[in-house]
Amino acid sequence: MCGIVGIVSNKSVSASIIRALKKLEYRGYDSAGISTITNGEINEQKCSGRVDNLEKILFQNPSSGDLGIGHVRWATHGIPNQVNAHPHSSEVVSVVHNGIIENSDKLRKEYEQKGYSFKSQTDTEVITAMLTDFLKKEDLINCIHKTLEKLEGSFALGVIFKNFNNLVVGARRGSPLAVGFGHDENFIGSDSYALKSMTNKISYLDDGDFCILYKEKVEFYNSDKKKINKEIFELSSEDNIADKGDYKDFMSKEINEQSTTTKKCINEYLDKSRNEINIFNLPINPKKIKKIRLIACGTAYHSCLMAKYWIEEFTSIDVESDIASEFRYRKVKLDPSDLYIFVSQSGETADTYAALKKCKENKIKTCGIVNVVESSIARLSDFVLPIHAGPEIGVASTKAFIGQMIVLYLLTLKISKERGDINLDEYAKLVLDLRKIPSLIEETLSKQKDIQVIARDFINAKGTMYLGRGYSYPIAMEGALKLKELSYIHAEGYAAGEMKHGPLALIEDGIPVVVLAPKDRFFEKTISNMQEVIARGGKVLMITDDTSETMSENIRFKFQIPKTNSTINSFLLTIPLQFLAYHVALLKNCDIDKPRNLAKSVTVE
Ligand code: AGP
């Protein structure tokens, strides 16, 4: 949840570090800092708030030096202030860290007894003390290795040393760290996105690895201090496209490009001439799959919940969806004939990654559905299905959610066809319908102004409910999450049929309630649930493809989505909910791309 960067170069690095930190700010934005070696001394500068604040400080006190490290923070230990900001430095070492050191209290006591004092409340500062102490009696490699061995928990580290003023050290366990190769300069960063403006040649550390960057070379070591080689990936130039263009913020860009991204994704998997889905070589023969489990967090979990309905509908396979932070600690019966699917936009979410590792350790076949193909989850999965959504910068996930659902739907139809659970005619029709999704999304996107008018109903609400049945239920969950994380208004996604079992007590005069009511087999039942809400004063925003005037005199507002095959309504129901959350947050002057307390990639548990 933090972002780290390190550079060793033949020229001053502070401007490049600041530029990289700005690209990493989506990972955390409580505080920021930089350390360089200037005139043979460690020069640490840091502040609370955004990278812009750090830039102002550097403008007053320029930080020279041709090697350095930088950090943007999402607070785990210690409030977000200047003292707790990274880097954390001693006279001879400076450290930036992403992750959680679980034995930091014990280590702090141990090093206090050795005479070390601590200025901050962070877990990271113990690493500085340990490196400083080991440097007194070990060479560099052993100093690094002994420190890493004593640490428990997760880390991606960037370290510079006063007495080794030609190198930067990186290390990884559980939190991602990329290595970039330049001309007479080399880089480390929390992800390749931060390094793309400086290089397109990237390697990735695996858990236990550490590296030593010089400006002319990079040395990699494994957890046994053995020198190793690392594959170098060449990133495509298209991956560099991550700017807002004419949009006010990344989120509005990413919502509005969903017809384009879904078209790109479908084209990647569909042979249009044969109307065939090109997904082959699953790690388990589709005919032999006994159970599918879908594992993820947050919005990605909602795409899994959606896929559960599709897999139940179109295959004879037993299916479960699970929240990764729960699954990873449960004593689940892991069966080698089960297929486990891990969904993650960033591919770095700690809970999802840990759940994947648990499956790998038990010889379970795994499939990763990610947006970042070089991510940890992608590299650990037996089989990867990218969603091709392009970099998603807004912390609230939008185009990635739609992309996850597209890939899960494609995978479901392919497995179903391979097993003979649906006949070829039905398969062909479903694939033809799927191909219409981008244009249907485009049509829905064109109506965003209709949703803007209703946003005002929500800004002073003390809470709200999002209701849906069947395929609409996962989308109700996702819509509620969007409103929560963008506008900070409490919202609950609920199965419409469950309201009478308690939550109906929440409904009182003026409460806004979103009801997803497409004209599917649940329509009449959902209308009844809606009437129960209206009868108690609820102000209903109805989202439907029904063109009749059903209930129109009693509902507050109706948003019309285009008519389509009911199994793919979910893609269209999602769009107005994204816009609703966006416009409510705008009215409340919330930070659209960087909501409070959150970060884009949750790489700590
Ligand atoms: C989505 O809007 C949230 N920002 C969050 O729930 C996110 O979906 C979750 O943290 C999972 O992230 P991932 O897809 O990168 O694994």
Side-chain angles (χ1 to χ4, degrees):
M1 306 246 286
C2 302
I4 71 174
V5 67
I7 303 177
V8 56
S9 177
N10 59 355
K11 57 184 183 294
S12 172
V13 296
S14 55
S16 300
I17 289 177
I18 291 295
R19 243 192 331 271
L21 289 181
K22 285 184 173 177
K23 286 185 175 293
L24 285 171
E25 248 188 333
Y26 71 93
R27 302 173 63 89
Y29 28 92
D30 295 336
S31 55
I34 179 174
S35 277
T36 58
I37 304 284
T38 307
N39 306 323
E41 297 296 334
I42 287 177
N43 175 14
E44 174 196 284
Q45 309 207 57
K46 57 189 186 179
C47 62
S48 59
R50 301 289 169 87
V51 176
D52 288 346
N53 297 350
L54 180 63
E55 203 165 20
K56 289 183 189 120
I57 291 171
L58 291 173
F59 189 71
Q60 304 296 332
N61 317 289
S63 174
S64 63
D66 56 8
L67 73 85
I69 51 178
H71 187 272
V72 284
R73 184 170 183 241
W74 183 87
T76 53
H77 291 63
I79 58 174
N81 61 13
Q82 193 269 350
V83 172
N84 290 330
H86 300 208
H88 291 283
S89 310
S90 68
E91 198 214 329
V92 294
V93 171
S94 191
V95 178
V96 288
H97 167 224
N98 173 28
I100 292 184
I101 303 304
E102 293 174 351
N103 60 338
S104 62
D105 290 344
K106 178 166 131 321
L107 290 168
R108 183 183 275 249
K109 290 188 181 73
E110 180 185 333
Y111 282 84
E112 279 171 340
Q113 281 157 12
K114 289 184 176 192
Y116 289 89
S117 59
F118 294 87
K119 294 176 284 222
S120 78
Q121 303 158 291
T122 67
D123 52 342
T124 304
E125 207 178 351
V126 296
I127 303 171
T128 306
M130 293 165 72
L131 288 165
T132 303
D133 194 56
F134 278 121
L135 268 180
K136 293 173 183 165
K137 47 204 179 228
E138 303 288 349
D139 63 26
L140 180 64
I141 300 281
N142 282 310
C143 164
I144 298 164
H145 185 253
K146 287 180 184 288
T147 300
L148 300 183
E149 273 195 323
K150 284 186 76 151
L151 295 176
E152 292 170 18
S154 64
F155 53 77
L157 300 179
V159 189
I160 60 175
F161 301 84
K162 173 185 172 182
N163 301 326
F164 299 94
N165 59 3
N166 64 334
L167 58 87
V168 172
V169 167
R172 180 222 154 119
R173 184 198 299 161
S175 293
L177 197 62
V179 176
F181 301 88
H183 300 293
D184 231 3
E185 58 182 358
N186 290 304
F187 319 95
I188 51 172
S190 291
D191 58 29
S192 58
Y193 174 59
L195 305 180
K196 273 176 189 154
S197 59
M198 301 181 281
T199 179
N200 68 344
K201 291 181 177 52
I202 302 282
S203 284
Y204 296 91
L205 295 190
D206 290 309
D207 283 350
D209 294 349
F210 64 91
C211 63
I212 302 179
L213 275 65
Y214 302 88
K215 63 178 190 298
E216 70 280 358
K217 65 176 177 176
V218 179
E219 293 173 354
F220 293 101
Y221 297 84
N222 66 11
S223 53
D224 299 325
K225 304 184 285 184
K226 297 267 179 305
K227 265 195 180 180
I228 54 175
N229 293 316
K230 282 288 174 185
E231 185 181 359
I232 298 180
F233 299 91
E234 194 146 319
L235 301 182
S236 61
S237 56
E238 63 159 10
D239 293 341
N240 281 313
I241 304 164
D243 60 55
K244 286 184 280 197
D246 298 335
Y247 287 97
K248 179 174 183 314
D249 41 52
F250 276 107
M251 186 174 179
S252 52
K253 168 184 175 273
E254 289 156 5
I255 290 175
N256 282 288
E257 64 183 349
Q258 290 178 114
S259 54
T260 309
T261 53
T262 48
K263 189 181 294 180
K264 181 174 187 308
C265 183
I266 292 169
N267 289 344
E268 290 284 338
Y269 288 103
L270 206 55
D271 175 341
K272 287 189 173 169
S273 58
R274 294 168 44 244
N275 200 43
E276 180 58 73
I277 296 170
N278 289 336
I279 294 177
F280 307 103
N281 310 321
L282 277 173
I284 298 185
N285 176 336
K287 295 183 176 66
K288 294 193 166 47
I289 300 172
K290 272 173 51 188
K291 186 179 181 94
I292 289 179
R293 273 186 184 276
L294 301 130
I295 316 277
C297 300
T299 286
Y301 168 70
H302 296 148
S303 70
C304 294
L305 195 54
M306 186 69 251
K308 171 182 157 70
Y309 282 80
W310 285 327
I311 293 167
E312 283 173 344
E313 180 73 23
F314 295 117
T315 80
S316 53
I317 299 171
D318 188 14
V319 56
E320 269 311 320
S321 56
D322 246 318
I323 291 171
S325 55
E326 289 297 311
F327 171 82
R328 65 183 288 192
Y329 295 113
R330 290 217 311 272
K331 289 177 74 176
V332 175
K333 310 300 170 276
L334 295 168
D335 185 326
S337 58
D338 296 350
L339 174 63
Y340 277 68
I341 299 173
F342 296 85
V343 181
S344 174
Q345 188 285 133
S346 63
E348 299 297 349
T349 298
D351 286 319
T352 311
Y353 184 65
L356 170 57
K357 279 173 75 172
K358 172 178 176 173
C359 290
K360 292 290 289 181
E361 286 155 9
N362 288 279
K363 309 275 183 283
I364 296 295
K365 294 300 180 195
T366 58
C367 169
I369 295 180
V370 299
N371 195 28
V372 183
V373 292
E374 65 266 15
S375 62
S376 305
I377 289 172
R379 288 183 290 120
L380 189 59
S381 297
D382 297 305
F383 186 71
V384 179
L385 292 172
I387 66 170
H388 302 289
E392 183 178 72
I393 307 306
V395 167
S397 187
T398 49
K399 64 175 182 175
F401 175 63
I402 294 286
Q404 289 157 1
M405 288 206 291
I406 288 280
V407 173
L408 284 162
Y409 191 59
L410 286 160
L411 180 62
T412 302
L413 297 183
K414 185 69 178 181
I415 289 174
S416 174
K417 181 213 173 198
E418 295 302 308
R419 292 168 58 88
D421 286 338
I422 56 173
N423 64 46
L424 295 182
D425 290 345
E426 187 183 3
Y427 173 74
K429 183 183 178 321
L430 289 167
V431 172
L432 284 174
D433 284 345
L434 176 144
R435 290 166 64 171
K436 295 172 191 161
I437 290 175
S439 57
L440 290 167
I441 287 178
E442 187 64 37
E443 186 182 338
T444 310
L445 286 169
S446 66
K447 300 170 64 181
Q448 78 164 285
K449 290 248 179 297
D450 295 359
I451 209 80
Q452 200 168 343
V453 299
I454 194 73
R456 198 161 292 285
D457 276 21
F458 290 75
I459 54 174
N460 298 315
K462 65 180 186 181
T464 177
M465 303 289 291
Y466 284 61
L467 306 180
R469 280 177 178 262
Y471 293 132
S472 301
Y473 168 51
I475 307 307
M477 298 288 288
E478 171 58 14
L481 176 61
K482 284 284 128 351
L483 190 74
K484 276 191 278 250
E485 61 179 335
L486 283 162
S487 70
Y488 318 146
I489 294 170
H490 183 73
E492 267 198 271
Y494 233 90
E498 272 295 286
M499 282 300 283
K500 52 190 172 296
H501 301 292
L504 201 57
L506 291 171
I507 304 303
E508 58 188 44
D509 194 40
I511 290 276
V513 176
V514 177
V515 177
L516 305 182
K519 200 79 188 274
D520 59 15
R521 61 194 173 107
F522 301 109
F523 182 71
E524 286 69 26
K525 292 183 189 328
T526 306
I527 294 301
S528 306
N529 299 141
M530 191 169 79
Q531 281 168 325
E532 290 155 12
V533 166
I534 291 170
R536 291 159 178 83
K539 294 285 172 263
V540 167
L541 162 58
M542 181 183 182
I543 300 180
T544 181
D545 57 356
D546 174 40
T547 50
S548 74
E549 286 308 302
T550 310
M551 299 283 297
S552 53
E553 68 285 358
N554 299 336
I555 59 174
R556 174 83 177 85
F557 190 81
K558 180 195 267 192
F559 183 92
Q560 197 82 37
I561 59 170
K563 226 158 176 33
T564 181
N565 165 341
S566 66
T567 56
I568 54 176
N569 270 331
S570 311
F571 296 94
L572 308 184
L573 292 168
T574 302
I575 306 299
L577 302 185
Q578 294 170 342
F579 278 132
L580 177 62
Y582 176 82
H583 286 295
V584 174
L586 269 190
L587 289 172
K588 289 192 65 185
N589 294 316
C590 296
D591 187 323
I592 296 291
D593 286 336
K594 300 187 182 80
R596 71 183 182 194
N597 307 341
L598 301 181
K600 182 65 181 171
S601 177
V602 184
T603 56
V604 293
E605 64 169 291

